[in-house]
Amino acid sequence: MTRINSSEKVLLMRIFLSVLILIFSLQSWTKADDIREFEIEGMSIGDSLLDYFSEKEIKRSKRYDNTNTNWKSDKMFQLRTGKKGPYTEIMFALKKNDKKYKIYGIDGLVKMEYNISECYPKLEKTSKSLEEFFPNAEISKDHSPHSGDPTGNSMVKSVYFLFPSGDFASVECYDWSKKMGYWDNFRIGLVTEEFNTCNNSNY
């Protein structure tokens, strides 16, 4: 019987693990034509936020609406929750006075601890994956100042995946100026046409 030395065992184990990872990736990978078929930490557009957070947690989360943003519509608002999975924070778009807390938008944010340059390779890699996940979506790219910074020194680099419904998915890098006081971040988002219209986004 042929003996296998320790270095060969390590090599075989690495190959075995690589094959397992590939198999599981292929099993879970499906193409989609609707952002509702995509999940961020198990959550999708159209779900109730009550399935993931208590009403008490929802009510004490930081809130954004037409009273503290430049949104013109008062129909919807956005909540900012704490860490979940790999995300530093998750933001949800909800409709006012909706007791079921139906989700109309999700953004997963990852804080860039050291340098915003670390964000851009992550953006490219993630957008390539989404190109396969959303093969029929129209792709649009942008790199421009954030409208919330009057100095024009805060930049956002974005890749959008646009659907005929007006919904879209996005991958972005937020490079905030020091004056704004926000932390730089990578984010992946799912946005419905209804919320996009309310918050006066670029799309």
Side-chain angles (χ1 to χ4, degrees):
M1 184 174 66
T2 305
R3 293 183 177 274
I4 301 176
N5 61 39
S6 59
S7 61
E8 290 174 327
K9 286 181 180 179
V10 171
L11 178 60
L12 287 172
M13 183 58 70
R14 287 177 178 171
I15 293 171
F16 177 68
L17 289 174
S18 299
V19 170
L20 279 181
I21 292 169
L22 178 61
I23 290 171
F24 287 129
S25 297
L26 290 174
Q27 286 176 339
S28 62
W29 192 257
T30 56
K31 290 179 170 59
D33 292 314
D34 191 322
I35 61 169
R36 289 158 182 79
E37 298 175 53
F38 191 82
E39 297 180 344
I40 293 179
E41 279 302 293
M43 299 175 287
S44 299
I45 296 295
D47 289 353
S48 169
L49 195 58
L50 290 171
D51 292 337
Y52 310 102
F53 299 91
S54 70
E55 189 165 19
K56 185 177 181 180
E57 288 176 311
I58 293 171
K59 286 184 175 180
R60 71 183 182 207
S61 296
K62 192 168 184 179
R63 178 170 173 153
Y64 302 89
D65 57 19
N66 64 309
T67 67
N68 58 359
T69 72
N70 61 354
W71 303 351
K72 294 180 180 179
S73 173
D74 65 351
K75 294 180 179 179
M76 304 186 89
F77 65 99
Q78 200 168 30
L79 292 181
R80 199 172 191 130
T81 70
K83 181 174 176 59
K84 188 170 179 62
Y87 299 100
T88 310
E89 290 183 345
I90 296 186
M91 297 181 73
F92 297 95
L94 307 169
K95 188 172 285 187
K96 288 185 177 180
N97 303 316
D98 177 13
K99 301 299 183 183
K100 295 183 178 180
Y101 295 97
K102 180 180 175 181
I103 299 171
Y104 291 85
I106 309 174
D107 276 299
L109 286 69
V110 179
K111 184 178 183 180
M112 293 288 100
E113 295 282 359
Y114 303 108
N115 196 313
I116 190 62
S117 63
E118 298 174 2
C119 185
Y120 301 124
K122 191 176 184 70
L123 181 146
E124 294 299 326
K125 183 177 180 180
T126 305
S127 61
K128 288 292 183 184
S129 296
L130 287 182
E131 284 182 35
E132 295 183 37
F133 193 83
F134 298 124
N136 298 317
E138 178 186 345
I139 298 174
S140 177
K141 299 182 179 182
D142 185 54
H143 194 184
S144 58
H146 192 286
S147 59
D149 183 352
T151 69
N153 293 325
S154 298
M155 300 297 294
V156 183
K157 185 173 184 178
S158 310
V159 180
Y160 299 100
F161 298 82
L162 312 173
F163 297 88
S165 62
D167 300 340
F168 65 88
S170 63
V171 187
E172 299 177 289
C173 289
Y174 275 59
D175 182 10
W176 291 106
S177 66
K178 290 183 179 179
K179 184 177 180 179
M180 293 300 290
Y182 303 136
W183 36 266
D184 296 343
N185 64 86
F186 164 85
R187 66 176 68 184
I188 182 167
L190 305 172
V191 180
T192 61
E193 188 276 337
E194 189 169 1
F195 176 59
N196 182 50
T197 300
C198 281
N199 75 358
N200 301 304
S201 179
N202 293 326
Y203 283 92

